[in-house]
Amino acid sequence: MEKISVGQRLLASVLAVFLVFAIAFIIFQQNREKEFKIDMLNTQLQDYNDRMNEALQSTGKWDEKSLSEYVKRHPKQALRVTLIDRKGHVFFDSARKDYRNMSNHLNRPEVQQALKQGYGATVDRSSKTLNRDYFYSATFFPRSNYIIRSALPYNNDLAKSLRADQHYIWFAVTAMIILVLVLYRFVNRLGANITKLKIFASRADHNESLEIEDLAEFPDDELGEIAERIIKIYKRLQSTRKEQDILKRQLTQNIAHELKTPVASIQGYLETILDNPHINEETKQLFLQRCYAQSERLTSLLRDISCLNRMDDAPGLMEFQTIDISSMVDGMVKEIALQLSERHMTFDNQLPENVTIRGNRSLLYSVFRNLTDNAIAYAGEGTTITLWAQEGRDRWNFVFKDNGVGVPEEHLARLFERFYRVDKGRSRKMGGTGLGLAIVKNAVLLHGGKISVSNNPHGGLCFTFFLKK
């Protein structure tokens, strides 16, 4: 059995509600209009009763002939007029004259209402006297102590005049047809969008291609636009995921390659020592020192990889506090004084006092330390490292530069890539992990900043970055 769609259920529900409303409206309108016409006719007959009472009071003619002539002068034909005393006895009737044989009218509904309220009316009541259906309207006049009751035969003409106008029924039917067409058009577009989303969900769930004709075009409305954007976002995420998978594979290969080098060196030196038990002590000590150097490089590599993973996977878990950058850099310069001295280099720290940043101390330290280590390693002997900062409205702008050899222009754009080296052989000899500048970039980004690198016009590299306060 085919499942009813959401659009079809919506169409059926709205039409059902509107149909109930239309039927209720028609019934209400018919009753209201019928009551209005009855009230109008009753008002006319009541007016006739009042005018007849005034004529009787003014002329004082109560004989049969005068009363009959007055009734005949009324424009409505077949009008029946009955005069009844307070006790229900009929003393005049324009349709029947044998008053002695006429039953007491005190129990007639319109008479009862007139005695209680001053006036009363009954629609479509059969006359016990004439055996015909009449529309009765009675008025009680307390001063004269009698009731004037006027009546019209309830025939086809009267029933037709009291019947409600049917034009609004056609209006309701027309409105319903228009509603059905509008709803059908809306539901049809809704159904088309839902069908396309259903196809999209099914193909996405089964990891199938979304490049099919059914998903190429959507109806030109809000829902179609939303559906199209959902699919575009999914495609973009799918593409991003593929790119991430490629990057992860490359990163895994690079990590494996970088780890393999120191491990292979350590393994080679240890195998040499184990396979040659009579090796002299001096050579053995040299091999052990090289093993230790490679293990330190391995430790640095693992530490840097761990640092990058923490920034990638759990940046929200990093502890932030107010850090005095000026004090931190002063301490760092003292730590590297020996390295600078060995390479005859100078660190020109031009930071103003009280440069404070709210951030993670370890990561902020790694930014300035890795930039410094990079300069020490590659700028060249006898060069100068310069660091200065300028305060902005909500950030500090830093410039870190050296006057060394610089980097060929084609390599600048890739300096922040993980494991990227301009001179691979020289970098490994210097003990670098290839992750220092990648850590710098990620740490700067984590602190709401941005970093760029360029060659100085007079030689050397210039790193320009900012950190939010």
Side-chain angles (χ1 to χ4, degrees):
M1 184 178 178
E2 188 177 352
K3 189 176 179 181
I4 300 175
S5 67
V6 175
Q8 291 172 334
R9 288 200 297 270
L10 177 63
L11 178 62
S13 301
V14 173
L15 288 180
V17 171
F18 184 78
L19 186 62
V20 170
F21 170 77
I23 292 172
F25 171 75
I26 290 170
I27 294 173
F28 169 77
Q29 188 67 18
Q30 277 190 320
N31 291 333
R32 185 181 177 188
E33 191 169 349
K34 187 175 181 180
E35 287 177 4
F36 174 73
K37 290 187 175 182
I38 289 171
D39 287 342
M40 283 191 64
L41 181 58
N42 184 46
T43 301
Q44 292 174 8
L45 293 178
Q46 289 286 328
D47 181 62
Y48 175 83
N49 295 343
D50 289 335
R51 283 188 284 107
M52 184 176 182
N53 178 61
E54 289 175 3
L56 291 175
Q57 295 298 326
S58 63
T59 61
K61 295 180 179 181
W62 296 84
D63 58 283
E64 184 77 20
K65 182 179 178 183
S66 298
L67 292 171
S68 297
E69 287 178 355
Y70 182 86
V71 172
K72 287 178 182 179
R73 288 198 299 270
H74 193 274
K76 282 189 178 290
Q77 294 189 5
L79 178 70
R80 178 188 175 191
V81 180
T82 308
L83 275 64
I84 309 164
D85 65 21
R86 191 184 186 100
K87 293 183 179 180
H89 299 119
V90 177
F91 62 89
F92 173 77
D93 191 284
S94 61
R96 185 175 174 181
K97 303 301 181 182
D98 53 339
Y99 305 130
R100 291 183 180 181
N101 295 325
M102 292 176 69
S103 60
N104 191 289
H105 281 45
L106 191 62
N107 62 343
R108 303 294 196 266
E110 65 277 3
V111 174
Q112 290 288 325
Q113 288 179 21
L115 289 172
K116 290 179 182 178
Q117 303 174 7
Y119 61 89
T122 304
V123 182
D124 192 15
R125 182 178 67 77
S126 177
S127 171
K128 295 179 181 179
T129 305
L130 300 178
N131 294 320
R132 290 183 65 182
D133 292 336
Y134 279 91
F135 180 96
Y136 294 101
S137 181
T139 308
F140 176 54
F141 299 98
R143 289 184 180 181
S144 304
N145 209 24
Y146 65 84
I147 297 167
I148 298 178
R149 187 186 72 177
S150 52
L152 287 172
Y154 199 85
N155 52 24
N156 289 335
D157 292 337
L158 181 60
K160 191 175 181 180
S161 67
L162 294 179
R163 191 180 303 152
D165 193 0
Q166 305 296 312
H167 289 105
Y168 61 86
I169 296 178
W170 294 112
F171 169 77
V173 171
T174 304
M176 191 168 181
I177 292 172
I178 293 172
L179 179 67
V180 169
L181 293 175
V182 171
L183 271 177
Y184 177 77
R185 186 170 180 270
F186 170 76
V187 168
N188 194 40
R189 294 168 73 93
L190 178 68
N193 284 317
I194 291 175
T195 300
K196 288 177 181 293
L197 283 174
K198 188 177 179 182
I199 294 170
F200 157 71
S202 175
R203 296 187 73 84
D205 185 45
H206 293 87
N207 202 24
E208 297 175 354
S209 173
L210 301 179
E211 302 300 330
I212 58 174
E213 188 177 347
D214 288 336
L215 301 178
E217 220 175 289
F218 286 83
D220 187 19
D221 55 22
E222 290 84 354
L223 188 58
E225 185 180 349
I226 292 170
E228 192 171 1
R229 286 187 179 182
I230 289 173
I231 294 177
K232 284 182 179 178
I233 291 170
Y234 177 81
K235 287 181 178 179
R236 193 157 55 242
L237 288 174
Q238 207 174 34
S239 175
T240 303
R241 192 179 294 113
K242 288 178 180 177
E243 291 175 2
Q244 288 176 341
D245 290 341
I246 293 170
L247 288 174
K248 283 182 179 179
R249 282 197 298 271
Q250 291 176 346
L251 184 60
T252 303
Q253 292 171 357
N254 288 333
I255 290 173
H257 180 73
E258 293 295 331
L259 290 174
K260 185 170 66 175
T261 303
V263 169
S265 297
I266 294 171
Q267 187 177 5
Y269 290 130
L270 292 177
E271 282 180 355
T272 302
I273 294 172
L274 291 173
D275 292 343
N276 299 278
H278 304 295
I279 192 171
N280 62 67
E281 193 64 29
E282 185 180 350
T283 305
K284 184 177 180 180
Q285 188 66 25
L286 176 63
F287 285 177
L288 289 174
Q289 287 176 351
R290 289 179 179 176
C291 281
Y292 179 74
Q294 291 297 326
S295 69
E296 280 192 324
R297 184 185 168 202
L298 189 59
T299 301
S300 297
L301 187 62
L302 293 173
R303 183 180 62 246
D304 288 348
I305 292 171
S306 176
C307 180
L308 283 170
N309 285 337
R310 282 203 316 274
M311 285 190 283
D312 287 342
D313 298 335
L317 298 179
M318 298 288 184
E319 183 182 351
F320 276 48
Q321 56 186 323
T322 302
I323 307 299
D324 186 343
I325 300 296
S326 303
S327 175
M328 186 180 71
V329 171
D330 284 339
M332 182 197 72
V333 173
K334 291 176 184 177
E335 292 173 9
I336 61 170
L338 182 60
Q339 293 173 265
L340 291 170
S341 177
E342 289 176 350
R343 296 183 63 80
H344 308 292
M345 296 177 70
T346 305
F347 194 106
D348 185 10
N349 183 10
Q350 299 180 14
L351 289 180
E353 294 183 0
N354 299 321
V355 177
T356 56
I357 297 290
R358 180 162 182 79
N360 181 269
R361 184 176 187 83
S362 175
L363 292 180
L364 288 173
Y365 178 84
S366 70
V367 170
F368 296 96
R369 182 59 189 262
N370 281 315
L371 288 174
T372 304
D373 288 344
N374 186 75
I376 292 172
Y378 305 112
E381 291 192 9
T383 55
T384 300
I385 301 170
T386 305
L387 173 63
W388 60 273
Q390 183 178 12
E391 187 175 10
R393 186 165 61 93
D394 61 345
R395 66 189 189 181
W396 278 98
N397 300 301
F398 296 89
V399 174
F400 186 101
K401 62 181 181 178
D402 63 67
N403 58 354
V405 295
V407 170
E409 289 291 332
E410 65 270 17
H411 296 288
L412 286 176
R414 302 188 62 187
L415 281 184
F416 296 109
E417 291 183 16
R418 300 177 186 190
F419 298 113
Y420 184 78
R421 292 183 174 91
V422 176
D423 186 343
K424 296 182 180 180
R426 184 172 174 235
S427 296
R428 288 199 176 90
K429 287 178 183 177
M430 299 295 294
T433 63
L435 295 173
L437 293 182
I439 291 174
V440 169
K441 180 181 178 179
N442 281 270
V444 168
L445 292 174
L446 188 65
H447 287 81
K450 191 175 181 181
I451 187 168
S452 61
V453 60
S454 61
N455 279 316
N456 284 321
H458 303 295
L461 279 179
C462 179
F463 292 90
T464 305
F465 61 98
F466 69 85
L467 297 171
K468 288 194 174 182
K469 292 181 180 179

